Amino acid sequence: DRRARRHRRHEPLARITRTVNDRSGAMSSSKRKASVLEKTLNKYRSGQKAASKIMTAAARDRAALDARSDAQYERMKRAAEKEKAEREAALAEMEMPVEPVKIVATNMLAKQKHAIDTLFKQRRAMSNDDLRVFLGFDCNVGDLFESLKAHDKVEYDEETKMFRYKAKHDVMCKEDVLELVNATPDGLAIDEIADAYVKAVEDAVALAEEDGSVILLTNTETKKKVLFRKQPEYEVEVNGEFVASFHEVEIPEHDVDFDKALRREGIEPTPRPVYDLGPQPELVKAKKKRAVNFERMNVTNAHMPELFKAAQVDRLDG
């Protein structure tokens, strides 16, 4: 009985203690849950910020890429429009009304030159009537007619009775120029195709500088530009070590020392071109004073020789 009474007396205290313990455990558990939730939210927020930065950078790169693409498209568009305008201007110039002839050539050679220049500018087949409008004289009579038919820059069709300018090479576009260069192993000078069509020189340079289809070199002596075909059989990849060792070789600074170094290796240097620097300044030579020859001079009072036979004075002041 005593034990039961003691148990009943301490039971409320134990109940209160259990309640306090349960509440404290619940509070600690809720704190742990809150800390875990907060960590999760922080990770989510940091991941969201990183994703936002990535999306912003991607959008910026996409905008820059779009801007570059638009700029490139605009450049290509402007280039195409410019080329089209130049082509139309050239055609319009060819089709523009002809001004009446103000001065008519009378010399046969002058007539021949005017006729060839007109055929070159028009770049089309022209009859005698067409040429008469430009020149003011007939080209199908007399010695002028025979000289034009025999000229290497004129082509005359006996059937159609038409004159046409005859270029050295029959090329009409960039593809024709490339085909001609590939068929010329010794190189093709740009001057040889300059009269083929209006933009022949521009197309030739573009084949080398823009397309990379041919090689453009300048002759050191004549200063003329020459096109060479590319030969894949001679294009080899050079080892990096070889290139480095090649650049490590010291080259003499002055031409004379360089030529001496070549001769020491048994190589005869190529003669250097001599450039015309214009007229040399004239050197002013100092004139030498000529000694006075008294024998050739007229002596005063030569008609009185007795004056010079007497004793001469040393001084004139007494």
Side-chain angles (χ1 to χ4, degrees):
D1 293 339
R2 188 183 299 170
R3 187 180 297 170
R5 284 197 300 271
R6 189 185 302 146
H7 179 70
R8 283 194 300 271
R9 189 169 55 248
H10 292 290
E11 184 177 359
L13 182 59
R15 190 181 298 113
I16 291 171
T17 303
R18 283 196 302 272
T19 302
V20 172
N21 292 334
D22 291 342
R23 287 181 180 178
S24 62
M27 290 177 65
S28 62
S29 177
S30 63
K31 287 183 179 179
R32 286 195 299 271
K33 289 181 180 179
S35 63
V36 172
L37 180 60
E38 187 175 359
K39 290 180 180 179
T40 305
L41 287 174
N42 290 335
K43 288 182 179 179
Y44 173 74
R45 290 192 188 99
S46 62
Q48 194 174 17
K49 288 182 180 179
S52 177
K53 289 182 180 179
I54 293 173
M55 292 177 65
T56 304
R60 192 184 303 114
D61 294 342
R62 190 181 301 110
L65 181 62
D66 293 341
R68 286 196 297 269
S69 300
D70 294 340
Q72 185 177 5
Y73 171 74
E74 290 297 330
R75 286 196 299 270
M76 295 175 62
K77 183 179 179 181
R78 286 196 297 270
E81 291 177 353
K82 181 181 178 181
E83 184 178 358
K84 182 180 179 181
E86 290 176 354
R87 191 182 302 110
E88 291 178 352
L91 293 175
E93 186 179 355
M94 293 173 57
E95 297 175 357
M96 64 187 304
V98 183
E99 296 182 359
V101 180
K102 298 179 181 179
I103 301 176
V104 179
T106 56
N107 182 274
M108 200 274 290
L109 293 178
K111 289 182 178 181
Q112 182 191 68
K113 184 180 184 305
H114 290 178
I116 295 175
D117 291 344
T118 302
L119 292 174
F120 172 74
K121 292 178 180 178
Q122 293 299 310
R123 304 295 179 96
R124 60 187 175 92
M126 302 181 70
S127 64
N128 180 67
D129 296 336
D130 297 334
L131 289 172
R132 189 191 305 113
V133 173
F134 284 88
L135 303 173
F137 54 83
D138 290 321
C139 296
N140 59 350
V141 292
D143 295 337
L144 177 61
F145 183 45
E146 297 299 328
S147 65
L148 287 175
K149 289 195 299 182
H151 203 280
D152 57 352
K153 292 295 182 182
V154 178
E155 180 180 354
Y156 181 74
D157 191 344
E158 295 287 351
E159 295 182 0
T160 59
K161 310 297 182 184
M162 303 289 279
F163 296 90
R164 183 188 294 272
Y165 183 81
K166 182 180 179 182
K168 184 175 181 179
H169 298 285
D170 187 15
V171 292
M172 298 300 295
C173 60
K174 185 189 291 186
E175 289 74 16
D176 294 344
V177 176
L178 177 59
E179 184 178 354
L180 179 61
V181 174
N182 290 332
T184 311
D186 295 333
L188 176 68
I190 291 184
D191 293 345
E192 295 185 8
I193 60 172
D195 61 345
Y197 60 98
V198 178
K199 297 184 65 177
V201 176
E202 296 180 16
D203 289 347
V205 175
L207 282 173
E209 297 181 352
E210 298 178 9
D211 302 344
S213 305
V214 297
I215 301 173
L216 178 62
L217 299 177
T218 302
N219 191 310
T220 56
E221 296 180 357
T222 62
K223 303 300 179 183
K224 292 184 178 180
K225 295 182 177 179
V226 184
L227 297 171
F228 293 91
R229 63 187 177 96
K230 281 194 171 181
Q231 297 174 286
E233 60 270 18
Y234 296 116
E235 295 182 5
V236 295
E237 185 176 355
V238 182
N239 190 355
E241 273 181 38
F242 178 80
V243 175
S245 61
F246 175 81
H247 288 292
E248 287 175 359
V249 177
E250 294 184 2
I251 303 298
E253 181 179 359
H254 302 288
D255 294 340
V256 177
D257 298 333
F258 183 70
D259 292 347
K260 290 180 180 179
L262 288 176
R263 290 190 177 95
R264 281 198 301 268
E265 299 298 328
I267 303 174
E268 184 64 26
T270 304
R272 302 183 185 280
V274 178
Y275 300 102
D276 186 9
L277 302 179
Q280 296 293 329
E282 296 182 0
L283 298 178
V284 179
K285 296 182 179 180
K287 294 183 177 180
K288 294 182 179 180
K289 292 185 177 181
R290 189 174 58 182
V292 180
N293 187 2
F294 292 100
E295 295 179 357
R296 300 180 60 183
M297 295 176 62
N298 293 327
V299 181
T300 306
N301 299 328
H303 60 287
M304 294 184 291
E306 62 274 4
L307 294 177
F308 302 98
K309 293 181 181 179
Q312 304 296 319
V313 296
D314 298 330
R315 299 173 58 181
L316 298 178
D317 55 356

